[in-house]
């Protein structure tokens, strides 16, 4: 059960103390307090853990400071979408809103290779009105002999250039807790010219110790990729690990499932789960058409499979698109064959816009028929 307190409740005030004293006396119930400081108001939520079935909603509702009470199901207590749950399904980071109602494009390099390519990429994004990108510095690779990413060495120039071209958020995968410190240090060193969304890749979806560490920090939001060989429920529980440690600024990423039933695509595209994740949780949902499809093959209509898959996710209401581009794919050190070209960026963005408009019209259509 969650008690949502009136905004700006004073934790030093008598009412709050009375409330906590009362909760402390409830048998078999422990409490966990979560405070979310926004630019305008501070929201406090109290999670009651234990035998909450015995508690009456009405009694809880009448306690001091309590504005609303939500009875949560066992699943995804914090990130889940519960009955009568009006908690927001969005967060803001570095001036960018991430919600189940917005759409952000993160086009960029799968892996940072050199400053020249980073700059060409970022300039193209700026010229096309984009403020978000993806830049891989730490790359988890199947072979230990493959390029592992430039790691912390590339961070200063990536952040400087991101600032130069007005990037607000860079999605960047980390595979170890030390990467978190390296990113923080490089941001401080460069004067924090941009923001970072930490990405937990599909190989680490169930790396629970990494999830706990990333969940304990609240400076950076997190993009958690679905595990490629586990159930959706298992991946959503992984997201809940982040939230249960304190960080609920989590975007959930669909990136295809590993099975040769998806051949000739790299993975079996799973974007039909966009609506499922939005129904079960309050997380914004990201799609990664590049790592799902994995090739630049095109249909007879001339449209690339990557773009068809993107449109399928966006028309279903996806909130973020993570997509590989490269200024010179044959020279890319990772995933060149699936990268889109910089000259395709305006076309890609226009195509996404079409699908987004179609989605918004579908929402209106739904409401019209529902109210008829
Ligand atoms: C990536 O986005 O660079 C990546 C490696 O993705 P995934 O973890 O989904 O394979
Ligand atoms: Mn890749």
């Amino acid at each position: 059960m969650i008690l949502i307190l009136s905004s700006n409740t004073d934790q030093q005030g008598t009412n709050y103390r009375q409330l906590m004293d009362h909760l402390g006396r409830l048998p078999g119930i422990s409490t966990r307090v979560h405070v979310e400081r926004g630019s305008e108001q501070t929201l406090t939520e109290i999670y009651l853990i234990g035998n909450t079935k015995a508690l009456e909603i009405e009694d809880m509702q009448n306690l001091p400071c309590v504005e609303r009470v939500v009875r949560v199901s066992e699943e995804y207590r914090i990130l889940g979408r519960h009955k009568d749950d009006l908690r927001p399904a969005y967060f803001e980071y570095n001036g960018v809103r991430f919600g189940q109602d917005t759409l952000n494009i993160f086009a960029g390099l799968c892996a940072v290779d050199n400053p020249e390519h980073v700059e060409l990429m970022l300039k193209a994004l700026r010229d096309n009105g984009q403020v978000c990108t993806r830049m891989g510095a730490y790359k988890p690779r199947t072979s230990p002999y493959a390029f592992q990413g430039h790691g912390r060495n590339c961070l200063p120039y990536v952040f400087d250039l991101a600032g130069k071209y007005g990037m607000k958020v860079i999605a960047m995968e980390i595979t170890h807790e030390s990467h978190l410190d390296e990113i923080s240090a490089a941001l401080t060193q460069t004067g924090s010219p941009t923001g970072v969304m930490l990405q937990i890749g599909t190989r680490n979806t169930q790396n629970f110790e990494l999830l706990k560490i990333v969940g304990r920090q609240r400076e950076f939001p997190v993009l958690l990729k679905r595990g490629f060989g586990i159930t959706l429920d298992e991946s959503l529980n992984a997201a809940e690990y982040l939230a249960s440690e304190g960080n609920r600024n989590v975007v959930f990423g669909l990136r295809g499932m590993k099975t040769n039933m998806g051949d000739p695509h790299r993975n079996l595209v799973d974007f039909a789960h966009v609506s499922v994740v939005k129904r079960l949780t309050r997380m914004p949902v990201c799609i990664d058409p590049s790592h799902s499809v994995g090739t630049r093959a095109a249909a007879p209509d001339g449209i690339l499979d990557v773009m068809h898959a993107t449109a399928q996710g966006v028309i279903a209401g996806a909130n973020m698109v993570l997509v590989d581009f490269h200024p010179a794919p044959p020279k890319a050190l990772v995933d060149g064959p699936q990268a889109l070209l910089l000259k395709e960026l305006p076309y890609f963005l226009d195509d996404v816009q079409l699908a987004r408009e179609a989605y918004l019209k579908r929402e209106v259509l739904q409401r019209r028929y529902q109210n008829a």
Side-chain angles (χ1 to χ4, degrees), residues 72-83:
V72 300
S73 47
E74 285 301 304
E75 294 288 83
Y76 330 130
R77 291 181 189 193
I78 300 175
L79 294 173
R81 182 178 280 288
H82 307 293
K83 190 167 172 292

Side-chain angles (χ1 to χ4, degrees), residues 109-111 134 136 138-141 173 199-205 223 225-226 228 253-256 266-267 288 291-292 322 324 334-335 338:
L109 303 181
C110 176
R134 58 159 294 148
Y138 306 96
K139 299 303 302 177
R141 303 305 303 284
E173 178 165 358
Q199 184 176 322
I200 305 284
T202 195
R203 290 158 189 80
N204 277 311
T205 308
L223 166 62
K225 294 277 199 91
R226 175 185 194 167
F228 57 42
L254 298 172
R255 47 84 68 214
R266 182 170 171 179
N267 287 286
D288 178 343
H291 290 83
S292 301
L322 191 72
D324 289 1
V334 185
D335 285 347
Q338 71 192 22

Side-chain angles (χ1 to χ4, degrees), residues 61 72 76 92 123 144 162 185-186 188 223 236 241-243 292 297 308 337:
Q61 189 86 59
V72 300
Y76 330 130
E92 302 245 341
K123 184 172 180 307
T188 307
L223 166 62
L236 295 178
Y241 262 89
L242 295 162
S292 301
H308 273 302

Side-chain angles (χ1 to χ4, degrees), residues 314-317 353-369:
V314 172
I315 205 169
Q353 190 54 33
L354 263 186
R356 177 68 181 171
E357 281 162 18
Y359 169 69
L360 295 173
K361 283 186 188 160
R362 292 177 64 222
E363 267 195 310
V364 172
L365 188 69
Q366 189 283 134
R367 280 198 294 271
R368 185 167 356 117
Y369 276 88

Side-chain angles (χ1 to χ4, degrees), residues 155-338:
L155 300 180
Y157 71 75
V158 169
F159 293 158
D160 276 336
L161 287 168
K164 177 174 171 188
Y165 291 101
M167 291 300 123
K168 294 194 175 301
V169 189
I170 305 179
M172 184 174 275
E173 178 165 358
I174 63 166
T175 57
H176 189 266
E177 59 188 275
S178 58
H179 303 158
L180 188 53
D181 301 330
E182 291 174 6
I183 288 172
S184 288
L187 280 173
T188 307
Q189 184 199 327
T190 52
S192 296
T194 186
V196 171
M197 177 180 280
L198 301 173
Q199 184 176 322
I200 305 284
T202 195
R203 290 158 189 80
N204 277 311
T205 308
Q206 285 189 314
N207 182 341
F208 299 117
E209 297 312 314
L210 181 63
L211 293 175
K212 285 187 211 166
I213 288 161
V214 170
R216 255 172 242 145
Q217 63 76 40
R218 290 175 67 182
E219 184 183 353
F220 305 109
V222 186
L223 166 62
L224 177 76
K225 294 277 199 91
R226 175 185 194 167
F228 57 42
I230 56 177
T231 63
L232 182 63
D233 173 60
E234 286 163 337
S235 290
L236 295 178
N237 269 300
E240 188 71 13
Y241 262 89
L242 295 162
S244 75
E245 294 293 333
N247 192 333
R248 50 177 70 182
N249 292 350
V250 184
V251 177
F252 188 80
L254 298 172
R255 47 84 68 214
M257 302 305 291
K258 198 177 200 64
T259 156
N260 55 10
M261 300 301 159
D263 292 357
H265 288 163
R266 182 170 171 179
N267 287 286
L268 182 65
V269 180
D270 55 352
F271 300 165
H273 278 170
V274 167
S275 55
V276 179
V277 179
K278 287 172 86 171
R279 175 169 72 247
L280 295 177
T281 78
R282 294 174 298 112
M283 288 185 278
V285 181
C286 175
I287 52 164
D288 178 343
S290 301
H291 290 83
S292 301
V293 170
T295 79
R296 282 184 52 85
D301 54 21
I303 302 172
L304 298 177
D305 286 11
V306 170
M307 294 191 41
H308 273 302
T310 304
Q312 287 157 16
V314 172
I315 205 169
N319 307 111
M320 175 168 158
V321 180
L322 191 72
V323 55
D324 289 1
F325 274 74
H326 198 281
K331 291 191 193 157
L333 298 176
V334 185
D335 285 347
Q338 71 192 22

Side-chain angles (χ1 to χ4, degrees), residues 51-64:
N51 183 24
T52 55
K53 288 202 181 73
L55 303 175
E56 291 294 335
I57 296 241
E58 278 224 329
D59 295 344
M60 295 292 118
Q61 189 86 59
N62 291 330
L63 293 172

